[in-house]
Amino acid sequence: MRALSILSAAVLLASSVNAGSDPRDCEVCMKVMTDIRDSMPKPDQKEKPKIESAIGAHCANESLPAREKKICYYIDPIKRDVAQPFSLGMTADRLCKRINKNNPEICGVKFPVKTENLEPKDLTKLRVKQLKSILLDRGVECKGCVEKEEFIKKVQETEHLAGSDEF
Ligand SMILES: *[C@@H]1O[C@H](CO)[C@@H](O)[C@H](O)[C@H]1NC(C)=O
């Protein structure tokens, strides 16, 4: 989880140069799909009923992290619609984008961004939009903030809220 968060932060940093769609779109869905695929013997990965049971089994796991549970909340009731494209062997990325077409909440689920391992100078590389998005993830508003420094300060002050995993 920690490694993933650092990765998210790194991806976020890397993305600060190109605007456009969020590279973190679908990231939790992709993790869940990869885990489900990895839990299955190779020949089963093409069999729809086997895929449906693997989704059910994976999602029955009470110890999944909150964001992954949230993906399960969306995909468990539509196992059949997931199993179809899943059985074609497409990448997790394509699979998630495909099922997101009819269930547009799925790709919006993202891992919380932790910034504790980032140097302040790294935070200054982020855009204000990204700092705002980190704060939004934490349920924090930066009231009256205008300058980038103010947003950075708020991000640093609210580090303890990163990854608070309410549903
Ligand atoms: C349930 O999920 C946790 C956290 O992802 C994992 O460590 C554990 O191995 C899983 N248990 C089963 C039975 O798959």
Side-chain angles (χ1 to χ4, degrees):
M1 194 60 212
R2 194 185 175 85
L4 257 171
S5 299
I6 296 168
L7 191 71
S8 302
V11 169
L12 191 80
L13 277 174
S15 76
S16 58
V17 278
N18 64 38
S21 72
D22 188 341
R24 296 165 63 224
D25 278 349
C26 313
E27 65 177 3
V28 183
C29 174
M30 285 162 62
K31 161 90 164 53
V32 170
M33 292 304 168
T34 305
D35 286 350
I36 293 172
R37 204 183 292 270
D38 290 348
S39 76
M40 303 178 69
K42 197 118 196 160
D44 290 0
Q45 296 173 7
K46 289 186 161 66
E47 302 204 27
K48 285 178 255 181
K50 295 263 169 68
I51 297 165
E52 289 185 41
S53 3
I55 295 171
H58 184 81
C59 288
N61 183 347
E62 293 286 337
S63 2
L64 288 182
R67 306 300 157 113
E68 294 170 43
K69 270 194 193 140
K70 194 164 184 177
I71 290 296
C72 276
Y73 168 84
Y74 293 124
I75 65 169
D76 204 41
I78 55 161
K79 287 200 269 291
R80 197 175 277 249
D81 302 333
V82 178
Q84 164 59 29
F86 191 112
S87 68
L88 304 175
M90 51 178 68
T91 60
D93 181 44
R94 275 192 64 201
L95 175 56
C96 287
K97 284 184 179 138
R98 169 76 69 93
I99 59 179
N100 188 63
K101 280 189 187 149
N102 292 323
N103 307 273
E105 301 86 2
I106 288 176
C107 283
V109 182
K110 309 194 183 153
F111 287 115
V113 178
K114 294 202 175 141
T115 52
E116 62 191 340
N117 299 299
L118 294 180
E119 302 281 331
K121 70 172 163 46
D122 289 329
L123 282 176
T124 63
K125 285 185 203 150
L126 296 179
R127 291 164 181 237
V128 169
K129 193 174 150 207
Q130 292 170 315
L131 295 166
K132 278 185 186 164
S133 141
I134 291 173
L135 292 172
L136 195 69
D137 256 3
R138 297 177 183 176
V140 176
E141 207 187 332
C142 201
K143 275 217 169 80
C145 296
V146 181
E147 299 297 324
K148 191 174 188 178
E149 292 70 42
E150 297 173 302
F151 287 99
I152 291 175
K153 189 154 168 277
K154 194 78 174 177
V155 166
Q156 289 170 324
E157 283 168 2
T158 57
E159 187 57 52
H160 61 286
L161 296 174
S164 61
D165 267 339
E166 300 100 63
F167 211 83

